[in-house]
């Protein structure tokens, strides 16, 4: 059986507490459970106080056979931040990278770059390249933001059934407007709907956005922007979605296998519960003072609220040495 853990964002203390609460103990250089294993849903880096330690816990478990993992958008953003757009020459301006070295992007990434020295960071970048973007376990599916069969098939056609996130792959999925780029955005960052003209909303860093993350597991017929926003938030217009958007929308089938995601900054004030009978999110905003969450899957086809386990974000930096020492 699997324990699926959401966005850690450098909160290693909370990760250790969550693992221990679920019965994992350090053995043979990694946290292990007698008869369960973990699936990590990415976004281990950025924002938090103990990014290296969080990465160490995840990597030890993956390499020790106690966990599997998929990348989040923050790890794929880091890969793009480290990948020049042109292989023939090194970048000479901030725009010459697949993810621009703009002040906005640097601010999002700054905690990671400050906590981990460049030489060590290069080894983590290499490790990220070999982590898959989704996992299909048959009766359970795991992906960072959105399970989209069409998008996944597009990437498989482009890169083969198994691939590493090489510089060539990162360049391909950052070729704006390409099928590969659209597929990448859907899976790792979530499907979106453009807001009406003139309407913008602030993202978690305070930057204006012209689109909202959509409820990709629901039909769009008869819905308003406010009803379709994930999560629900103030300022989203309560007016009908455009007809052309509704006509082209495809949603995750209600009879498809259960899927667990992170990514969506769900309010920590809400009691964790599935988003749909076969969809659950385990991102409850630990990086905003919320909770680190896991879903303990026991083989059920219909996901259940009583399978969530959470720990609250801690108020300040505390020593990690004893908790993560092998």
């Amino acid at each position: 059986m699997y324990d699926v853990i959401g966005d850690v964002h450098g909160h290693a203390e909370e990760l250790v507490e969550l693992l221990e609460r679920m019965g994992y103990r350090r053995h043979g250089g990694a946290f292990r459970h007698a008869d369960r294993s973990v699936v990590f849903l990415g976004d281990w880096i950025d924002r938090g106080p103990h990014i290296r330690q969080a990465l160490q816990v995840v990597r030890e478990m993956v390499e020790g056979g106690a966990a599997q993992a998929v990348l989040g958008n923050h790890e794929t953003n880091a890969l793009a931040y480290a990948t020049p757009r042109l292989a023939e020459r090194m970048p000479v301006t901030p725009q010459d990278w697949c993810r621009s070295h703009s002040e906005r992007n640097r601010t999002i990434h700054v905690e990671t770059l400050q906590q981990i020295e460049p030489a060590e960071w290069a080894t983590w970048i290499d490790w990220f390249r070999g982590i898959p973007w989704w996992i299909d376990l048959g009766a359970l599916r795991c992906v960072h933001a959105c399970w989209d069969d069409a998008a996944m098939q597009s990437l498989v056609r482009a890169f083969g059934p198994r691939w590493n996130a090489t510089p060539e792959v990162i360049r391909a999925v950052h070729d704006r407007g390409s099928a590969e780029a659209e597929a990448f955005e859907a899976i790792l960052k979530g499907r979106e709907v453009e807001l009406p003209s003139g309407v913008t909303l602030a993202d978690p860093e305070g930057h204006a956005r012209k689109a909202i993350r959509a409820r990709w597991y629901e039909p769009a017929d008869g819905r308003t922007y406010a009803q379709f926003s994930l999560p629900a938030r103030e300022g989203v217009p309560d007016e009908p979605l455009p007809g052309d958007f509704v006509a082209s929308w495809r949603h995750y089938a209600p009879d498809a296998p259960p899927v667990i995601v992170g990514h969506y900054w769900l309010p920590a004030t809400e009691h964790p519960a599935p988003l749909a009978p076969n969809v659950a999110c385990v991102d409850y905003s630990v990086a905003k003072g919320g909770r680190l969450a896991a879903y303990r899957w026991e083989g059920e086809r219909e996901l259940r609220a009583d399978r969530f386990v959470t720990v609250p974000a801690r108020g300040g930096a505390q020593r990690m040495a004893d908790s993560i020492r092998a």
Side-chain angles (χ1 to χ4, degrees):
M1 297 295 99
Y2 298 100
D3 297 312
V4 187
I5 297 179
D7 306 37
V8 177
H9 281 305
H11 286 75
E13 291 179 333
E14 292 87 338
L15 175 56
V16 168
E17 181 180 352
L18 180 63
L19 288 167
E20 291 180 341
R21 181 171 295 186
M22 294 190 296
Y24 290 78
R25 298 293 182 266
R26 287 197 66 87
H27 176 71
F31 282 94
R32 301 179 186 278
H33 194 284
D35 51 16
R36 304 183 66 88
S37 63
V38 165
V39 179
F40 290 107
L41 294 182
D43 275 14
W44 311 304
I45 65 171
D46 298 341
R47 298 194 172 104
H50 300 118
I51 293 167
R52 175 190 289 106
Q53 294 94 326
L55 286 169
Q56 288 172 337
V57 170
V58 172
R59 185 169 183 171
E60 287 169 354
M61 292 184 69
V62 170
E63 294 185 345
Q68 300 178 66
V70 299
L71 286 189
N73 63 300
H74 279 257
E75 289 79 35
T76 51
N77 283 347
L79 287 166
Y81 198 86
T83 302
R85 286 194 175 275
L86 298 175
E88 296 80 15
R89 63 185 177 88
M90 286 301 293
V92 292
T93 72
Q95 289 71 40
D96 285 332
W97 302 87
C98 288
R99 183 169 173 83
S100 168
H101 288 197
S102 65
E103 181 60 25
R104 176 182 182 276
N105 291 340
R106 191 197 69 81
T107 299
I108 295 171
H109 209 33
V110 67
E111 284 294 334
T112 301
L113 297 177
Q114 288 181 349
Q115 292 181 37
I116 302 178
E117 293 293 328
E120 180 187 349
W121 182 233
T123 67
W124 288 110
I125 288 290
D126 286 342
W127 186 65
F128 295 161
R129 295 193 188 282
I131 303 296
W133 294 2
W134 67 85
I135 294 174
D136 190 339
L137 297 166
L140 179 69
R141 293 169 167 178
C142 299
V143 67
H144 182 67
C146 170
W147 193 277
D148 186 324
D149 286 309
M152 292 166 174
Q153 290 165 13
S154 176
L155 294 174
V156 169
R157 285 194 299 271
F159 308 128
R162 290 183 175 271
W163 74 85
N164 288 340
T166 62
E168 292 73 25
V169 167
I170 295 300
R171 292 187 188 102
V173 299
H174 287 82
D175 180 11
R176 192 175 297 276
S178 69
E180 292 81 8
E182 292 179 2
F184 162 78
E185 291 281 331
I187 294 166
L188 273 298
K189 302 184 180 183
R191 295 170 66 193
E192 297 184 337
V193 54
E194 294 288 329
L195 288 165
S197 178
V199 178
T200 61
L201 294 170
D203 67 12
E205 283 73 37
H207 301 288
R209 288 179 52 84
K210 298 180 180 180
I212 53 171
R213 292 169 176 168
R215 294 177 180 266
W216 49 271
Y217 47 88
E218 293 183 357
D221 310 63
R223 302 302 178 90
T224 67
Y225 288 93
Q227 292 169 337
F228 219 51
S229 175
L230 180 63
R233 53 181 301 187
E234 293 183 3
V236 180
D238 193 22
E239 60 184 77
L241 294 166
D244 57 347
F245 174 84
V246 172
S248 64
W249 183 252
R250 63 184 187 276
H251 66 283
Y252 192 70
D255 59 351
V259 57
I260 304 179
V261 300
H263 187 60
Y264 289 100
W265 295 90
L266 298 185
T269 53
E270 293 184 3
H271 185 77
L275 299 173
N278 62 340
V279 179
C281 176
V282 283
D283 180 5
Y284 279 84
S285 304
V286 68
K288 286 198 236 179
R291 291 178 280 180
L292 184 63
Y295 185 92
R296 309 205 78 184
W297 186 70
E298 302 283 353
E300 64 272 16
R301 181 96 182 169
E302 185 168 321
L303 302 177
R304 297 166 38 173
D306 62 357
R307 299 289 195 219
F308 287 86
V309 179
T310 69
V311 298
R314 299 194 179 190
Q318 301 179 27
R319 293 186 63 188
M320 289 293 301
D322 292 341
S323 296
I324 66 169
R325 185 178 295 119

